[in-house]
Amino acid sequence: NAGVTQTPKFQVLKTGQSMTLQCAQDMNHEYMSWYRQDPGMGLRLIHYSVGAGITDQGEVPNGYNVSRSTTEDFPLRLLSAAPSQTSVYFCASTGTGRYEQYFGPGTRLTVT
Amino acid sequence: GENVEQHPSTLSVQEGDSAVIKCTYSDSASNYFPWYKQELGKRPQLIIDIRSNVGEKKDQRIAVTLNKTAKHFSLHITETQPEDSAVYFCAASWAGGATNKLIFGTGTLLAVQP
């Protein structure tokens, strides 16, 4: 199993540009989530999904959209990037009835 | 919603000493408390976790204790080694069925001096 994969690893955007961060897992996990990590602030939950077709907001959802059309994929969309969205983004997944969250390798995003 | 506070933000110990990191949580419904270790430029890695029906859990040199009444939990690392140097995060969630919304503390930078 590849586990949780994320692409790209690094990305530089200009203010106002849009992009999609990709996340995929091959463990048939129902629960998937997106976090952002900023210095001194730990990891903050952006959006999460408990299964295909079901998504909900976390602590800091503004400026981000998500969708879950398949169990495997959970992309995060930035519609109009802002410098405040410069961060490291982690995707994670958990199996139903399980507790451990498995994290992807992260995407480092810079918005200029 | 849940709020998790973590202390200290930085901790420096001598090799061989013990290290203790403490967290408090606000939501009494939380039932799952993991600890993650993150090395520079890497993803968070689960090192130990505890559920609300257990007061203490050990795994070799690391242990976690939970006090549900006071709503705090702690990570204990004994016989520290230089490779223990990293950022440690605590987290809390109500984990049940299909959901597991982890809320993280702000992290502790542990430096183990050889």
Side-chain angles (χ1 to χ4, degrees):
Chain A
N1 286 354
V4 181
T5 59
Q6 292 183 239
T7 57
K9 291 186 177 180
F10 303 94
Q11 183 70 49
V12 179
L13 291 178
K14 295 187 186 304
T15 297
Q17 287 185 318
S18 63
M19 80 159 295
T20 299
L21 308 185
Q22 301 291 344
C23 174
Q25 51 86 16
D26 60 359
M27 298 174 283
N28 201 32
H29 286 175
E30 291 295 327
Y31 182 83
M32 297 184 73
S33 54
W34 276 101
Y35 294 88
R36 61 176 289 171
Q37 184 173 30
D38 303 298
M41 301 191 73
L43 291 93
R44 292 181 291 169
L45 182 64
I46 304 172
H47 285 286
Y48 65 97
S49 169
V50 298
I54 307 170
T55 64
D56 205 346
Q57 297 180 351
E59 302 171 90
V60 288
N62 293 341
Y64 307 94
N65 283 349
V66 292
S67 60
R68 185 93 179 272
S69 57
T70 67
T71 299
E72 294 78 21
D73 300 297
F74 190 41
L76 179 72
R77 297 185 186 85
L78 286 72
L79 297 181
S80 179
S84 61
Q85 294 178 305
T86 293
S87 189
V88 179
Y89 291 85
F90 288 99
C91 179
S93 72
T94 304
T96 300
R98 310 288 295 182
Y99 289 83
E100 180 174 355
Q101 285 208 15
Y102 295 83
F103 282 85
T107 294
R108 184 174 295 274
L109 176 68
T110 302
V111 183
T112 62
Chain B
E2 177 66 277
N3 182 52
V4 177
E5 295 189 359
Q6 182 173 347
H7 299 281
S9 56
T10 61
L11 180 60
S12 181
V13 299
Q14 293 293 318
E15 182 177 357
D17 287 350
S18 295
V20 180
I21 303 170
K22 298 182 179 182
C23 289
T24 60
Y25 62 99
S26 61
D27 189 350
S28 56
S30 291
N31 63 357
Y32 176 62
F33 308 92
W35 286 89
Y36 285 83
K37 176 183 180 182
Q38 187 178 31
E39 297 175 342
L40 189 62
K42 304 288 188 180
R43 74 189 80 186
Q45 297 275 9
L46 180 71
I47 56 172
I48 195 167
D49 57 10
I50 192 167
R51 302 177 197 177
S52 59
N53 59 348
V54 176
E56 183 176 2
K57 183 177 179 180
K58 290 183 179 180
D59 184 2
Q60 299 183 344
R61 295 187 298 109
I62 60 174
V64 57
T65 58
L66 171 65
N67 183 327
K68 287 193 298 181
T69 302
K71 290 191 283 188
H72 65 70
F73 56 113
S74 300
L75 177 71
H76 304 254
I77 306 175
T78 59
E79 301 173 22
T80 54
Q81 301 167 4
E83 51 265 39
D84 294 328
S85 296
V87 179
Y88 291 81
F89 292 97
C90 64
S93 75
W94 183 86
T99 191
N100 188 4
K101 292 170 53 180
L102 285 180
I103 303 300
F104 283 82
T106 51
T108 296
L109 175 61
L110 174 64
V112 180
Q113 310 296 332

